[in-house]
Amino acid sequence: MTTADVSDRSLAQLISLKGRRAVVTGGGRGLGKAIAARLAEAGADLLIGDLDEEPAVSAAKELAERHGVRAIGAAMDVTDAAAVAAAADRAVAELGGLEIWVNNAGIFPAVPLLEMTEETWDQVFAVNARGVFVGAREAARRMSAAGPDGGRGGVIVNIVSTAGFRGSAPGLAAYVGSKHAARGLTRELALELAPMGIRVLGVAPSFVPTEGNLAMAAAAGVNLADLPPTDLMLNSPIGRVGTPDDIARVALFCASDLSAFMTGSTLLADGGDTA
Ligand SMILES: NC(=O)c1ccc[n+]([C@@H]2O[C@H](COP(=O)([O-])OP(=O)(O)OC[C@H]3O[C@@H](n4cnc5c(N)ncnc54)[C@H](O)[C@@H]3O)[C@@H](O)[C@H]2O)c1
């Protein structure tokens, strides 16, 4: 059980995910790929799901070769509950169970409020908020059903954002609303799933250059690579831009027994930006 007292275990035992099975949504690139890499390094077998199948399959192949874990890459749209359930079933059938689920898939279109359509709003919420609910539900159904003693529990990690704590930039009303929803869900699901031995934690990154937000900036005519780091870091006291691995290490902490006494929190991984 991941919620048991683990005080007598060594650090190496606490951080090890050997024998655990994880699903990472949106894991074909960006933060999800970096998270999948740290989970695999810690020994977890993985299913990497992504809207885009090819990067998920190649990320899985790369991690299986590098870390000697079993890894599956699969097409999965988190707005399609049947597809999420199918991916969860595949993880259980092919990896033998499910103990870790990372709700990472997210979108962040920038549209000024006066021009934002209901369709854009709904799509952002379908991925960033309803996708977290559906992922958590499908994960919890399988975590609580696993094992001869009625379940060995598990951990759900939601990739939120500093936009779940405060307003962000103009154009991100749907994104900020959806990330506040994801943070709220993290608290509520923690309460509801604790009796099943399932912990729920959030990780809230500040700006990290990834394929997704570089493309978004480029679409808005901004080449982030040309901006001085100070512009990118806004108020960050740490004074450097975050990397995907900065976020992945916090996600690994959440997924591992190092955080066994934590549930319901969303951890800021933001270089102090929100301090
Ligand atoms: N990069 C940042 O600065 C930053 C900051 C705070 C929070 N986040 C959050 O981190 C998460 C990952 O962001 P990223 O920067 O790596 O983005 P990214 O666009 O680089 O990668 C996101 C991945 O999710 C996949 N995806 C998109 N919609 C999907 C869907 N419906 N179903 C399944 N997969 C889908 C994409 O194909 C892509 O592979 C998001 O939830 C985002 O909101 C990112």
Side-chain angles (χ1 to χ4, degrees), residues 25-33 35 49-52 55-56 75-80 84 103-108 123 126-128 159-163 175 178-179 203-215 244 247:
T25 71
R29 69 179 195 188
L31 302 187
K33 187 176 178 186
I35 292 166
D50 203 290
L51 201 52
D52 231 350
M76 173 214 259
D77 180 349
V78 301
T79 69
D80 176 351
V84 176
N103 282 311
N104 164 78
I107 56 171
F108 26 84
Q123 182 62 18
V127 180
N128 298 1
I159 305 306
V160 185
S161 168
T162 50
Y175 183 70
S178 70
K179 289 297 184 178
V203 178
S206 52
F207 176 81
V208 176
T210 56
E211 291 93 326
N213 58 23
L214 292 174
I247 310 310

Side-chain angles (χ1 to χ4, degrees), residues 146-226:
D149 58 353
R152 59 181 287 198
V155 187
I156 295 167
V157 182
N158 299 326
I159 305 306
V160 185
S161 168
T162 50
F165 286 80
R166 62 171 196 202
S168 182
L172 293 175
Y175 183 70
V176 170
S178 70
K179 289 297 184 178
H180 274 72
R183 182 171 158 228
L185 264 171
T186 302
R187 303 173 83 161
E188 174 59 21
L189 296 177
L191 296 179
E192 197 163 330
L193 298 177
M196 297 172 212
I198 299 170
R199 300 189 293 113
V200 188
L201 288 168
V203 178
S206 52
F207 176 81
V208 176
T210 56
E211 291 93 326
N213 58 23
L214 292 174
M216 185 193 73
V222 179
N223 183 353
L224 293 177
D226 292 343

Side-chain angles (χ1 to χ4, degrees), residues 1-7 9 20 151-155 190 193-200 255-263:
M1 285 279 293
T2 49
T3 53
D5 178 9
V6 292
S7 311
R9 299 204 195 145
R20 303 207 186 157
R152 59 181 287 198
V155 187
L193 298 177
M196 297 172 212
I198 299 170
R199 300 189 293 113
V200 188
S256 77
D257 288 350
L258 281 168
S259 60
F261 195 55
M262 295 178 69
T263 193

